[in-house]
Amino acid sequence: MAEHRTMQRGALLDAARSLLSEGGTEALTFPALAERTGLARSSVYEYFRSRAAVVEELCAVDFPVWAAEVENAMQRAETPEAKIEAYVRRQLDLVGDRRHRAVVAISASELDAGAREKIRAAHGGLITMIVEALGDLGHTQPRLAAMLLQGSVDAAVRRIELGVAEEPGVIADTAVAMVLRGVSG
């Protein structure tokens, strides 16, 4: 029975990821989750008490996977500059990934304080990864620089998400050039 519940929960999270990817948090409703999974709406409430609870669980499950991908890319890089480039590029590569798309939708939405706190903590973990590389480059305010750098990444993510203007590769190249050279280049 426990295995069946785990499968149902996994199916609900998968459905939630798809709904978020397709229509953002507005699309994430219990009737839609019930329809996608073939469960009764009342069954959905047995697993999650609210939309925020679904979002919090997705954060807990998906953010660490995403962060690990970024961290692995950074570990393969030799120099501080290469680590920063890997940090930017890996996040932007992940925009096309369904799991990441759900994370992007969650990050962009209006959520209750609990979910927002989980997202902030997850983003904080990401920022921490880059602080050391910025310190190694001689930044006197590496944490501030890391937050500003992440702001550039977030802006590039939104630009890619729009899917209308430049190719994702052009956006990634521009973002990397900007963060590595500052705005002087």
Side-chain angles (χ1 to χ4, degrees), residues 1-20:
M1 181 65 194
E3 192 178 318
H4 180 67
R5 283 192 66 80
T6 304
M7 278 175 54
Q8 299 269 41
R9 191 175 200 88
L12 283 164
L13 289 175
D14 261 345
R17 280 184 198 106
S18 294
L19 290 164
L20 284 163

Side-chain angles (χ1 to χ4, degrees), residues 20-82:
L20 284 163
S21 296
E22 292 158 21
T25 41
E26 299 75 43
L28 181 60
T29 65
F30 278 36
L33 282 171
E35 189 183 324
R36 288 281 168 107
T37 55
L39 293 169
R41 199 183 313 183
S42 58
S43 298
V44 178
Y45 282 100
E46 288 174 32
Y47 293 92
F48 298 103
R49 65 188 185 285
S50 65
R51 266 175 15 145
V54 178
V55 167
E56 283 184 41
E57 179 128 351
L58 279 175
C59 287
V61 172
D62 290 357
F63 263 114
V65 172
W66 179 36
E69 291 262 352
V70 175
E71 193 167 18
N72 290 340
M74 287 177 72
Q75 281 170 350
R76 290 193 297 273
E78 303 288 318
T79 64
E81 290 90 346

Side-chain angles (χ1 to χ4, degrees), residues 62-106:
D62 290 357
F63 263 114
V65 172
W66 179 36
E69 291 262 352
V70 175
E71 193 167 18
N72 290 340
M74 287 177 72
Q75 281 170 350
R76 290 193 297 273
E78 303 288 318
T79 64
E81 290 90 346
K83 285 185 187 308
I84 291 167
E85 178 164 356
Y87 177 86
V88 173
R89 284 195 190 279
R90 192 65 196 118
Q91 286 189 69
L92 299 181
D93 287 346
L94 288 168
V95 175
D97 179 279
R98 194 169 65 93
R99 186 174 286 252
H100 180 70
R101 289 181 66 78
V103 166
V104 171
I106 290 166

Side-chain angles (χ1 to χ4, degrees), residues 84-150:
I84 291 167
E85 178 164 356
Y87 177 86
V88 173
R89 284 195 190 279
R90 192 65 196 118
Q91 286 189 69
L92 299 181
D93 287 346
L94 288 168
V95 175
D97 179 279
R98 194 169 65 93
R99 186 174 286 252
H100 180 70
R101 289 181 66 78
V103 166
V104 171
I106 290 166
S107 298
S109 62
E110 295 298 309
L111 297 164
D112 71 14
R116 269 202 315 274
E117 196 42 56
K118 281 206 169 50
I119 290 169
R120 246 198 310 279
H123 272 298
L126 218 57
I127 302 275
T128 301
M129 283 184 217
I130 200 70
V131 170
E132 190 182 339
L134 289 163
D136 291 345
L137 279 177
H139 268 277
T140 54
Q141 295 280 335
R143 186 144 189 94
L144 173 60
M147 290 171 146
L148 296 173
L149 190 159
Q150 184 60 42

